[in-house]
Amino acid sequence: MSKNNSTSNGSFLDKVKNLTDTSLLLTITIVIFVLMYLGAIIFQGGGFLKVQTFFNILNANAALIILSCGLSLVMIIGGIDISVGGVTALVSMSCAVYLDNMGGNVYVSMLIALAIGVAFGAFQGALVAFLDIQPFIVTLAGMFFARGMTTIVNSDPFNVANEGFNELKMTRIYTPFGSTNAKGVYVPAYVELGVVVALVIVILLFCLLRWTKLGRSFYAVGGNKESALMLGINVKKTKFIAHLMCGTLAGIGGFVYFLHVGSGSPSHATGAEMDAIASSIIGGTMLTGGVGNIIGTFFGVLSLSTIQNIVASAGLDEAWWTGITRAVMLCLFLIIQSVVMARKHKK
Amino acid sequence: MKDGSVLEMRNIHKSFPGVKALQGVDFTLRKGEIHALMGENGAGKSTLIKVLTGVYGKDEGEVSLEGKGAISIHSPQEAQKVGISTVFQEISLCPNLSVAENMFIGRTDGMYQNWKKVNSETEKILKSMDIPATATQQLGSCSVAVQQMIAIARAVDTNCKVLVLDEPTSSLDEQEVEKLFKVMRDLRAKGVGIVFVTHFLDQVYAVCDRITVMRDGQLVGEYEIKDLPRPMLVSKMLGKEMDDMSDIHGEFQTYKPEKGVAPVFEAKGLVSDAGIKPFDFHINKGEVNGFTGLLGSGRSECVRAIFGADRVTGGKIKVKGKEAKISKPIDAMKNGIAYLPEERKVDGIIGDLSVRENIILAQQVLRGFFKPFSKAKQYEIADEYIKLLSIKTASADTPIKSLSGGNQQKAIVARWLFTHPDYLILDEPTRGIDVGTKVDIQKLVLKLASEGMSVTFISSELDEMLRTCSRLVVMRDRKMVGELSGEDLNQNKVMSTIAGGDK
Amino acid sequence: MSKTNNETSFFKKLVGQQFFIPILVLLVLVVFNLIADPSFFKIAFGTNNAGNPVLSGSLITILDNGSELAILAIGMTLVTAASGGQDISVGAAVAIAGSTLLRVLCGSNSRPDELQAPIIVAFLVSVVVAMLFGAFNGVLVAYFKIQPMIATLILYTAGRSIAAWINNNELPIVPGETFTYFGGFIPGIPIPTPVFIAIACIIIIALVLKFTNLGLYTQAVGINESASKLNGLNPALIKVASFVILGVCVAVVGLIKVSRISTINYSVVAKDIEMDAILAVALGGNSLAGGKFNMAASIIGAYIIQFLTTTLYKYKVPADALPAYKAVVVIILVVISSPTVKDWFSNLTKKLKVKEVA
């Protein structure tokens, strides 16, 4: 019996044969990421071998990981949310203004961030789920609103001077890994607080999607809405929850972003929604819904930023190269997905 | 209140914009019986079932279960909770989930589900019902028939008092139908009331105890099966005495071909990427032939290859004696071939477009991108064909999706007639439409042939084919295995050829 | 009884009309401006810096600045109808087209004293380039079956970088007066040239829709791809064609945008215009899921969005805060036009009528 149980140990061959769409795409993502990173180590040399290089990728992208997780959730139910970048900017600016201009407390500012995220998620979710409005339009409006509000809250960028905040910002968690620097001194590698938050979220969401009924309902709704309804799933509620969670994650991600950059600015997180969508897709989430995996999304973010690091360290650091590389990467993965799925379903 | 009734529906009313779908319908289901719900398309069977299962709300009337007073059901979930399970014609499972998840999701409360337990329970059920699938398999990788069986297994497993089967057999082969019947009989023995909707009369008489007949959204009557022989059932459904359909052949003159004329269409070693073996085929002017065989035997794939609907990978084609190349539908259309596809909703109608646009589409494509018909001309054409085929539509501008199935089919036939083809292929034109339109279409086929058109007619109902075709091509396992005409055109001979019994 | 029926059906017809919502919004905007400041509608006649006669006033501004949006809305409507998705790369593509135009006009020198190529040649080159990028999007959508929004995300991400790369990240300035005519005024004509360009585009698309089967084919493909295929159409080709047509629109917009300032700012030019173009399609009552479309409604939608933008500017809303207001309008619109709310309203009116009768 256990042989047929995907959660326990079937033989390796069995597993490859019976891969679901989700795990197939996930496998591709991880393999390509590992190859890419190995390639970077071989051709770009030392830098990528250092643990800190890898951790820096995490540090810089903790917020993106969280945003991408949210995107994956709504994409699995067959929706989309393009407001997350705007929400991030709004959260940063609101928290910055609260902390500096109003002399606020850093922990209260977390609540503000969360509240903004929940509000966006709940409102957008309600429109999408209960009024059946296309998520693209709703969240497009959400993005407009968040960006506009950011400017209204404060139109000029500024760095936060609040002490409690900066203390939190500078908190580093040292790990048992490390390397020796140029002077031969051993330096332990560190991660920022945001990375811990991101990892916890990744693990929680992975469990949610894999084992809970709510998680499986996400897949059901994304796979076939009508069928899900017939199976007795509350489709509207499921959709609402997905959007609510995405909004909430955007709030949390926004705060992590804020914690990383330490400033408020209307131009913060420009295009973050596109990066998050791209990461989810690279991670094997299909925009048609019903297929996707949080671990994949995690690797999607890493792949996207690793390739950027490779390009930068290859000396092509003009701004346009970043844009072009990202696009090529996305294009590649989209075509891989399209070809793989077409092959698989033809059989 | 009658004894032992498990479900009573009284005076149910339901209307949609412009349509009164149900008008005061009563329906009673007893404990431990299989009850057929019969009627033409548009009679209101599906609406009644959707009201019962909470997909639609009802405007008026009441539903009671086991005589415990009126209940109101607002969603399929609620229906399930009170003990009404449904299996719909179109499979309503999620292809991206595993078999076990499909069996159990949405059935219990609470956050956490013990998937290990669910998987092992699913295995047990699959084994007991003899379904060839494993619990952790992705549903999408199962065949359609297996998926349908799983849907039934799910419905049966939910401790139901009322099981509704809405045309569950349309995608099953004979053995699978038999398996389903066994399950149904077992359930009847356990006291479950089963509502069975089907278009197949044989199946009704094979398993059902009683029949409720509906017509035009109204109740015609409720009968014991022994009191209602077939001809009476059909006439009740139609609402008129059945005209003798078996003799429509005689009404039309057979077309007399001139001698020495090359066949309208001829294929040698034709093969496509849809998995059929290469086949030879020809059809003469004014001839009606048919492809027959079991579901999945490759009959549709053959005509799709002729029309270039699938990718043709080999073979030679001659049209009226001249070599031709058909690699995509437009090539076939240019060679005077028309094809009415099997799946009306998926491949036939352009739902949101008007009846008018649907009728002119094919001919318009043939005329070319830069030569659109004028609006006035379009209306003229549409009105002509609406009258010719007596298509029931509010106007030529009505979106085709709001027509009934039979009338949609007629509009698609009109579309192809308007291209004035030499060779018309009709793949299951009578599936899922009402009996009246079925006869209309068969008559039309014979009329067209008598005027010199070549027609290929495919139907899963053998008697329809025997009535209309003068030659039958028999398919088995994606291969052409025989050709029957003249004396050989009888039920027994066709059956034995399909089964391969002559060896 | 029959009278009530007639009334409801008339009311339903009115509300059901595709033009109902856009016209309603327009009315609201007009009335608001009339009450708040009637001078909004004043058109003044004066001369500009170059001494040419020009018309000015908010209405002229709307027509002028709305041109780009209206032209893009044409292409976007076709793409939406055929592919059931939207092209979010048009802003980036405008940057590419504009950059190409500059590259050809100015050659390798970013500060030339005279044009290095005739404007028409430069324009045609940029049209070809924009069509190629459109075809790229179209191929991804039609042959690789990638959802349009995601397929065009690629060009959205890379487009402005490519535009910068075309001119080595320099900002060439086009010499001479003639080039400014396309985005400004032709001497002697008091109406801004973009208005004429937009009208020309609208006339062209109207003629194309009337004298070809573009509309029928696009809608058929958008509604039911496999049925279209069996009617002899080539759905993939038609989808690519819609993206290519959008490419042409993009090139025209690129010309206007670059001409307005005689140079380009890669990161700002036509920023967020994709969102406005998509909104125009939606505001016109067209389904963003594709299928049936109404071109006139989309174009009206475009001008309404510009009307709103201009109104907001007039009340000193800073450019960066503009989106917030637009968002509110969009939300109100989509909520009003959502089927659920419509049903709810019609039920409400029904109930009210029943009460009246009783």
Side-chain angles (χ1 to χ4, degrees), chain A residues 313-343:
Chain A
S313 69
L316 301 168
D317 52 357
E318 290 99 332
W320 65 73
W321 279 113
T322 326
I324 293 175
T325 348
R326 270 193 210 159
V328 170
M329 180 94 178
L330 181 59
C331 184
L332 192 78
F333 270 85
L334 281 172
I335 291 175
I336 289 177
Q337 262 193 20
S338 152
V339 172
V340 166
M341 293 320 267
R343 274 269 171 90

Short mmCIF file of all heavy atoms in Angstrom, two decimals, chain A residues 313-343:
data_model
loop_
_atom_site.label_atom_id
_atom_site.label_comp_id
_atom_site.label_asym_id
_atom_site.label_seq_id
_atom_site.Cartn_x
_atom_site.Cartn_y
_atom_site.Cartn_z
N SER A 313 28.56 39.86 -12.42
CA SER A 313 29.97 39.54 -12.16
C SER A 313 30.71 39.25 -13.46
O SER A 313 31.92 39.20 -13.48
CB SER A 313 30.08 38.36 -11.20
OG SER A 313 29.65 37.19 -11.85
N ALA A 314 29.97 39.06 -14.56
CA ALA A 314 30.63 38.89 -15.85
C ALA A 314 31.00 40.24 -16.44
O ALA A 314 31.51 40.32 -17.55
CB ALA A 314 29.73 38.12 -16.81
N GLY A 315 30.75 41.30 -15.73
CA GLY A 315 31.16 42.63 -16.17
C GLY A 315 30.11 43.33 -17.00
O GLY A 315 30.28 44.44 -17.46
N LEU A 316 28.96 42.68 -17.21
CA LEU A 316 27.89 43.33 -17.97
C LEU A 316 26.96 44.03 -16.99
O LEU A 316 25.82 43.64 -16.82
CB LEU A 316 27.12 42.29 -18.77
CG LEU A 316 27.94 41.48 -19.76
CD1 LEU A 316 27.13 40.31 -20.27
CD2 LEU A 316 28.37 42.36 -20.92
N ASP A 317 27.48 45.04 -16.32
CA ASP A 317 26.64 45.58 -15.25
C ASP A 317 25.84 46.80 -15.67
O ASP A 317 25.25 47.48 -14.85
CB ASP A 317 27.47 45.86 -13.99
CG ASP A 317 28.68 46.70 -14.32
OD1 ASP A 317 28.88 47.00 -15.51
OD2 ASP A 317 29.45 47.04 -13.39
N GLU A 318 25.81 47.11 -17.00
CA GLU A 318 24.91 48.18 -17.40
C GLU A 318 23.49 47.76 -17.07
O GLU A 318 23.14 46.59 -17.15
CB GLU A 318 25.01 48.46 -18.91
CG GLU A 318 26.31 49.09 -19.32
CD GLU A 318 27.29 48.07 -19.88
OE1 GLU A 318 27.19 46.89 -19.46
OE2 GLU A 318 28.12 48.44 -20.71
N ALA A 319 22.70 48.76 -16.75
CA ALA A 319 21.36 48.48 -16.24
C ALA A 319 20.56 47.62 -17.20
O ALA A 319 19.82 46.74 -16.79
CB ALA A 319 20.64 49.79 -15.98
N TRP A 320 20.73 47.86 -18.52
CA TRP A 320 19.82 47.15 -19.42
C TRP A 320 20.07 45.67 -19.46
O TRP A 320 19.20 44.89 -19.77
CB TRP A 320 19.81 47.76 -20.82
CG TRP A 320 21.09 47.67 -21.58
CD1 TRP A 320 21.62 46.55 -22.14
CD2 TRP A 320 21.96 48.74 -21.90
NE1 TRP A 320 22.77 46.86 -22.79
CE2 TRP A 320 23.02 48.20 -22.68
CE3 TRP A 320 21.95 50.12 -21.62
CZ2 TRP A 320 24.05 49.00 -23.16
CZ3 TRP A 320 22.97 50.88 -22.12
CH2 TRP A 320 24.02 50.32 -22.86
N TRP A 321 21.30 45.25 -19.14
CA TRP A 321 21.56 43.81 -19.18
C TRP A 321 20.69 43.06 -18.18
O TRP A 321 20.24 41.95 -18.44
CB TRP A 321 23.04 43.52 -18.93
CG TRP A 321 23.83 43.71 -20.19
CD1 TRP A 321 24.76 44.68 -20.43
CD2 TRP A 321 23.75 42.94 -21.37
NE1 TRP A 321 25.26 44.56 -21.70
CE2 TRP A 321 24.64 43.49 -22.31
CE3 TRP A 321 22.98 41.83 -21.75
CZ2 TRP A 321 24.81 42.98 -23.58
CZ3 TRP A 321 23.15 41.32 -23.02
CH2 TRP A 321 24.05 41.89 -23.93
N THR A 322 20.47 43.65 -17.03
CA THR A 322 19.64 42.99 -16.03
C THR A 322 18.27 42.70 -16.60
O THR A 322 17.76 41.58 -16.52
CB THR A 322 19.47 43.91 -14.81
OG1 THR A 322 20.67 44.64 -14.65
CG2 THR A 322 19.15 43.13 -13.58
N GLY A 323 17.69 43.74 -17.20
CA GLY A 323 16.36 43.58 -17.77
C GLY A 323 16.34 42.49 -18.83
O GLY A 323 15.46 41.63 -18.84
N ILE A 324 17.33 42.55 -19.70
CA ILE A 324 17.33 41.60 -20.80
C ILE A 324 17.55 40.17 -20.31
O ILE A 324 16.87 39.25 -20.73
CB ILE A 324 18.39 42.01 -21.86
CG1 ILE A 324 17.94 43.32 -22.52
CG2 ILE A 324 18.56 40.93 -22.91
CD1 ILE A 324 18.93 43.92 -23.49
N THR A 325 18.49 40.00 -19.36
CA THR A 325 18.72 38.64 -18.84
C THR A 325 17.46 38.08 -18.20
O THR A 325 17.10 36.92 -18.43
CB THR A 325 19.79 38.61 -17.73
OG1 THR A 325 20.44 39.86 -17.70
CG2 THR A 325 20.73 37.49 -17.91
N ARG A 326 16.83 38.86 -17.37
CA ARG A 326 15.61 38.40 -16.71
C ARG A 326 14.61 37.94 -17.75
O ARG A 326 13.99 36.89 -17.62
CB ARG A 326 14.97 39.57 -15.97
CG ARG A 326 15.41 39.73 -14.57
CD ARG A 326 14.45 40.70 -13.96
NE ARG A 326 15.02 41.48 -12.92
CZ ARG A 326 14.52 42.65 -12.53
NH1 ARG A 326 13.47 43.15 -13.13
NH2 ARG A 326 15.06 43.31 -11.54
N ALA A 327 14.46 38.78 -18.80
CA ALA A 327 13.49 38.46 -19.82
C ALA A 327 13.83 37.16 -20.53
O ALA A 327 12.98 36.31 -20.76
CB ALA A 327 13.38 39.60 -20.82
N VAL A 328 15.12 37.00 -20.85
CA VAL A 328 15.54 35.78 -21.54
C VAL A 328 15.25 34.57 -20.68
O VAL A 328 14.73 33.55 -21.12
CB VAL A 328 17.05 35.85 -21.88
CG1 VAL A 328 17.54 34.50 -22.37
CG2 VAL A 328 17.29 36.92 -22.93
N MET A 329 15.57 34.71 -19.40
CA MET A 329 15.33 33.64 -18.42
C MET A 329 13.86 33.25 -18.41
O MET A 329 13.50 32.08 -18.47
CB MET A 329 15.76 34.20 -17.07
CG MET A 329 15.60 33.27 -15.95
SD MET A 329 17.13 32.42 -15.71
CE MET A 329 16.69 31.44 -14.31
N LEU A 330 13.01 34.26 -18.29
CA LEU A 330 11.57 34.03 -18.22
C LEU A 330 11.09 33.34 -19.49
O LEU A 330 10.34 32.37 -19.46
CB LEU A 330 10.86 35.37 -18.03
CG LEU A 330 9.34 35.32 -17.92
CD1 LEU A 330 8.93 34.47 -16.75
CD2 LEU A 330 8.79 36.72 -17.77
N CYS A 331 11.58 33.87 -20.62
CA CYS A 331 11.20 33.34 -21.93
C CYS A 331 11.56 31.86 -22.01
O CYS A 331 10.75 31.02 -22.40
CB CYS A 331 11.93 34.14 -23.00
SG CYS A 331 11.50 33.70 -24.66
N LEU A 332 12.78 31.56 -21.58
CA LEU A 332 13.27 30.19 -21.60
C LEU A 332 12.35 29.26 -20.82
O LEU A 332 11.93 28.21 -21.29
CB LEU A 332 14.68 30.18 -21.01
CG LEU A 332 15.48 28.91 -21.20
CD1 LEU A 332 16.03 28.89 -22.61
CD2 LEU A 332 16.62 28.86 -20.19
N PHE A 333 12.02 29.69 -19.61
CA PHE A 333 11.22 28.82 -18.75
C PHE A 333 9.80 28.66 -19.27
O PHE A 333 9.21 27.59 -19.16
CB PHE A 333 11.20 29.34 -17.31
CG PHE A 333 12.32 28.77 -16.50
CD1 PHE A 333 13.56 29.35 -16.52
CD2 PHE A 333 12.13 27.63 -15.75
CE1 PHE A 333 14.61 28.82 -15.80
CE2 PHE A 333 13.16 27.08 -15.03
CZ PHE A 333 14.40 27.69 -15.05
N LEU A 334 9.27 29.74 -19.81
CA LEU A 334 7.93 29.64 -20.36
C LEU A 334 7.90 28.63 -21.48
O LEU A 334 6.99 27.81 -21.58
CB LEU A 334 7.48 31.01 -20.88
CG LEU A 334 7.01 31.96 -19.79
CD1 LEU A 334 6.78 33.34 -20.36
CD2 LEU A 334 5.73 31.43 -19.15
N ILE A 335 8.94 28.68 -22.32
CA ILE A 335 8.96 27.76 -23.45
C ILE A 335 9.17 26.33 -22.97
O ILE A 335 8.50 25.41 -23.43
CB ILE A 335 10.02 28.20 -24.48
CG1 ILE A 335 9.56 29.50 -25.13
CG2 ILE A 335 10.25 27.13 -25.52
CD1 ILE A 335 10.53 30.13 -26.08
N ILE A 336 10.05 26.17 -21.96
CA ILE A 336 10.24 24.83 -21.41
C ILE A 336 8.91 24.28 -20.90
O ILE A 336 8.49 23.18 -21.22
CB ILE A 336 11.26 24.85 -20.25
CG1 ILE A 336 12.66 25.08 -20.80
CG2 ILE A 336 11.23 23.52 -19.47
CD1 ILE A 336 13.72 25.18 -19.72
N GLN A 337 8.21 25.11 -20.08
CA GLN A 337 6.91 24.69 -19.54
C GLN A 337 5.97 24.29 -20.65
O GLN A 337 5.35 23.22 -20.61
CB GLN A 337 6.27 25.87 -18.80
CG GLN A 337 6.48 25.82 -17.31
CD GLN A 337 5.58 26.81 -16.61
OE1 GLN A 337 4.56 27.27 -17.14
NE2 GLN A 337 5.93 27.17 -15.40
N SER A 338 5.88 25.17 -21.64
CA SER A 338 4.93 24.94 -22.71
C SER A 338 5.24 23.65 -23.45
O SER A 338 4.36 22.84 -23.70
CB SER A 338 4.95 26.16 -23.64
OG SER A 338 4.61 25.80 -24.93
N VAL A 339 6.52 23.45 -23.74
CA VAL A 339 6.90 22.25 -24.49
C VAL A 339 6.71 21.00 -23.64
O VAL A 339 6.12 20.01 -24.08
CB VAL A 339 8.37 22.36 -24.97
CG1 VAL A 339 8.83 21.05 -25.57
CG2 VAL A 339 8.49 23.48 -25.99
N VAL A 340 7.17 21.05 -22.38
CA VAL A 340 7.07 19.88 -21.51
C VAL A 340 5.61 19.47 -21.32
O VAL A 340 5.24 18.31 -21.45
CB VAL A 340 7.73 20.15 -20.15
CG1 VAL A 340 7.33 19.08 -19.14
CG2 VAL A 340 9.23 20.19 -20.30
N MET A 341 4.75 20.46 -21.03
CA MET A 341 3.36 20.12 -20.78
C MET A 341 2.70 19.57 -22.04
O MET A 341 1.92 18.64 -21.98
CB MET A 341 2.59 21.35 -20.28
CG MET A 341 3.02 21.84 -18.92
SD MET A 341 3.38 20.52 -17.75
CE MET A 341 1.81 20.35 -16.96
N ALA A 342 3.04 20.16 -23.18
CA ALA A 342 2.45 19.68 -24.43
C ALA A 342 2.86 18.23 -24.67
O ALA A 342 2.04 17.37 -24.99
CB ALA A 342 2.90 20.56 -25.59
N ARG A 343 4.15 17.93 -24.46
CA ARG A 343 4.65 16.56 -24.62
C ARG A 343 3.91 15.60 -23.71
O ARG A 343 3.43 14.57 -24.11
CB ARG A 343 6.13 16.52 -24.24
CG ARG A 343 7.05 16.86 -25.36
CD ARG A 343 7.45 15.59 -26.10
NE ARG A 343 8.18 15.94 -27.31
CZ ARG A 343 9.49 16.08 -27.36
NH1 ARG A 343 10.21 15.87 -26.28
NH2 ARG A 343 10.08 16.39 -28.48
#
